[in-house]
Amino acid sequence: MWDELVRDRGGMPVASLAEADAAKLAGARFVAVLVRGDGVLPAVAALEPAQAVAHLTLGDRGPVVTRAANANRFLERLQASRVAPYLLKAGRVGGTDPEGSLEVREEHAATILNAVLAGTVQWERDPDFGYRVAAEVPGIEGRDRFLLIPRFLYARTERVYDYAALVPELKREWVARLEALDGLDASIVDAVR
């Protein structure tokens, strides 16, 4: 869903370290780290370069032997390019239960990308994960606003304690998975602590 929307808007979509290695960053308006899932990640987040590489590495299923080197190389390229990285999520926000979660649909994706490029997104730092989440996106209204800040969705659906338990568990898992990659730049691991 996101690939074409990102390319149509002058962005560079990357869903794996292999794609990142081949990505042409020069001239790109932004880099989109594409993730899929049903958990606590928002539909969009503005990332620092190390956060972008961390989330890309966590979602990568390529050969373990080359992951750290590819991740380190992409971090260097991303920092040098100064192209803004974003996390863009496909799937659901808030879990798999349709009653307590929301699906990120194509119209959400298009509205979010248009607002990002227009500079009309109001960003705020997420207290749990450190990236910036969209506090407001013109065109994302009503219940769909919970796609932007998952902790509010969990609270609204009376799962605040579930969310509070998920956050440290997920962060521990992320750190352990990244630390298992020998030679990975420490800033990539620190980006998800």
Side-chain angles (χ1 to χ4, degrees), residues 14-188:
V14 292
S16 71
L17 289 168
E19 285 180 12
D21 218 24
K24 306 274 190 265
L25 300 181
R29 293 179 74 185
F30 63 99
V31 171
V33 173
L34 307 179
V35 298
R36 182 157 195 74
D38 298 319
V40 299
L41 292 177
V44 62
L47 305 172
E48 298 299 324
Q51 291 171 323
V53 176
H55 285 284
L56 185 61
T57 304
L58 288 165
D60 192 77
R61 299 294 178 236
V64 173
V65 67
T66 60
R67 263 190 231 159
N70 289 349
N72 292 343
R73 189 168 42 252
F74 186 54
L75 177 61
E76 290 172 7
R77 291 181 60 225
L78 195 52
Q79 289 170 329
S81 75
R82 298 182 183 253
V83 176
Y86 296 92
L87 178 137
L88 301 175
K89 178 181 179 178
R92 299 188 77 78
V93 174
T96 57
D97 177 13
E99 295 298 315
S101 67
L102 294 169
E103 181 182 2
V104 182
R105 296 187 312 270
E106 189 167 346
E107 60 265 22
H108 297 132
T111 299
I112 288 167
L113 280 176
N114 291 342
V116 166
L117 292 175
T120 57
V121 176
Q122 292 182 16
W123 299 101
E124 67 179 43
R125 182 87 37 212
D126 184 275
D128 299 310
F129 296 104
Y131 43 59
R132 290 178 299 137
V133 292
E136 189 173 319
V137 173
I140 303 290
E141 307 292 336
R143 190 166 191 259
D144 288 345
R145 292 184 70 202
F146 293 123
L147 292 167
L148 307 174
I149 304 179
R151 73 179 182 280
F152 292 165
L153 175 61
Y154 278 82
R156 180 74 171 191
T157 56
E158 299 179 11
R159 297 179 296 150
V160 70
Y161 295 112
D162 294 343
Y163 182 83
L166 281 170
V167 169
E169 179 183 317
L170 189 56
K171 289 171 81 170
R172 277 191 299 275
E173 176 196 330
W174 288 349
V175 167
R177 287 175 51 202
L178 292 173
E179 285 181 336
L181 299 174
D182 286 338
L184 188 66
D185 187 300
S187 68
I188 297 170

